[in-house]
């Protein structure tokens, strides 16, 4: 019998990467002689990736952004981010305990993220968590990415799991839409990187701390989806 599986998003779900992503954004903006962004006001854009963050920062400062310059700044952003992994990034409270809880109960664990695979693996390895995950799949692992449901279902397959015994955990509309399209229940954390409350996207459940991601909750959601 296939073991049940929990698939996690990465940034804003398992790991608080915002401090490092914003540092890399400000590094790239300095090369364009723009002011640094305010962390509190800009954190909601972190989940959209470097290209969108650079675009929003220029728009906020009413600066035009040519395609070539956009590409140049994105390269600076990515290089800075890659060179400084893991930086200040840390697991959210309760993550390590949740991983142990589900591993001990026989669950497979995987990561499905729109971060590049190499950066995702490097981050999880640097934080000493890589051995817990049967698969770590990024935006470039397959020919498709979230919200395409195949990104999630192929991550599950690579990890040795079955979509009919799976649960997704994420922090954004993209994660929720992906899981729904795959027919997989989804728990949304409400502390991630989104400019709207995750409740608006109608996930299967919402949690405010990983202590609330219990075996009972996972089992109930997976069982309900099977009927």
């Amino acid at each position: 019998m296939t073991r049940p599986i929990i698939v996690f998003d990465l940034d804003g779900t398992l790991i608080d990467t915002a401090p490092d992503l914003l540092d890399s954004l400000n590094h790239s903006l300095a090369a364009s002689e723009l002011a640094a962004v305010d962390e509190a006001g800009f954190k909601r854009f972190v989940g959209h990736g470097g290209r969108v963050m650079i675009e929003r920062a220029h728009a906020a400062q009413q600066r035009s952004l040519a395609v070539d310059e956009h590409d140049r700044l994105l390269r600076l952003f990515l290089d800075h981010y890659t060179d400084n992994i893991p930086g200040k990034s840390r697991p959210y409270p309760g993550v390590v305990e949740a991983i142990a809880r589900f591993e001990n109960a026989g669950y497979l664990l995987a990561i499905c993220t729109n971060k590049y695979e190499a950066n995702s693996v490097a981050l999880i390895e640097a934080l000493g968590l890589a051995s817990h995950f049967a698969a770590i799949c990024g935006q470039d692992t397959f020919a498709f990415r979230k919200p395409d449901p195949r990104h999630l279902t192929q991550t599950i397959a690579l990890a040795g799991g079955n979509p009919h015994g799976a649960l997704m955990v994420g922090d954004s509309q993209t994660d929720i839409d992906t899981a729904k399209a795959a027919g997989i229940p989804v728990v949304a954390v409400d502390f991630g990187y989104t400019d709207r409350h995750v409740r608006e996207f109608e996930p299967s459940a919402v949690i405010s701390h990983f202590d609330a991601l219990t075996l009972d909750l996972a089992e109930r959601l997976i069982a309900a989806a099977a009927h």
Side-chain angles (χ1 to χ4, degrees):
M1 185 174 172
T2 307
R3 291 161 62 189
I5 183 169
I6 298 189
V7 183
F8 298 92
D9 172 54
L10 186 53
D11 298 60
T13 300
L14 275 182
I15 312 296
D16 183 9
T17 53
D20 296 309
L21 292 168
L22 290 167
D23 280 351
S24 296
L25 174 62
N26 286 328
H27 172 79
S28 69
L29 296 179
S32 196
E33 298 184 346
L34 264 72
V37 300
D38 171 60
E39 180 173 337
F42 220 79
K43 190 174 180 180
R44 66 187 186 276
F45 299 125
V46 165
H48 296 290
R51 185 173 288 279
V52 172
M53 291 167 68
I54 291 165
E55 184 180 288
R56 295 289 176 88
H58 278 73
Q61 297 183 43
Q62 299 179 318
R63 286 277 296 270
S64 60
L65 183 61
V67 173
D68 288 352
E69 177 69 352
H70 202 169
D71 290 343
R72 181 180 79 90
L73 295 180
L74 181 61
R75 285 193 297 273
L76 287 173
F77 171 95
L78 291 172
D79 287 347
H80 183 271
Y81 179 75
T82 301
D83 290 345
N84 289 281
I85 289 173
K88 305 167 191 168
S89 296
R90 296 294 181 271
Y92 282 103
V95 162
V96 173
E97 293 82 0
I99 287 172
R101 182 159 63 246
F102 283 95
E103 269 192 330
N104 290 339
Y107 279 69
L108 293 166
L109 304 176
I111 291 172
C112 179
T113 173
N114 278 345
K115 196 185 197 76
Y116 286 106
E117 181 185 314
N119 282 345
S120 303
V121 171
L123 176 60
I124 293 300
E125 285 182 344
L127 294 172
L129 299 173
S131 64
H132 301 291
F133 296 98
I136 299 174
C137 299
Q139 65 161 269
D140 52 339
T141 303
F142 310 111
F144 30 77
R145 55 183 282 188
K146 296 183 296 187
D148 189 315
R150 293 175 296 174
H151 192 179
L152 175 55
T153 56
Q154 289 298 306
T155 297
I156 291 168
L158 193 61
N162 185 321
H164 299 296
L167 176 68
M168 175 79 186
V169 182
D171 74 311
S172 69
Q173 181 177 8
T174 298
D175 297 321
I176 295 165
D177 288 350
T178 303
K180 286 182 176 180
I184 291 169
V186 55
V187 172
V189 300
D190 65 5
F191 46 74
Y193 311 142
T194 179
D195 52 357
R196 293 165 60 190
H197 197 285
V198 287
R199 195 178 297 108
E200 294 182 36
F201 311 125
E202 300 182 346
S204 310
V206 177
I207 61 171
S208 299
H209 193 286
F210 269 93
D211 287 353
L213 186 66
T214 62
L215 289 168
D216 178 66
L217 176 63
E219 288 166 2
R220 281 192 289 109
L221 293 177
I222 291 171
H227 288 89

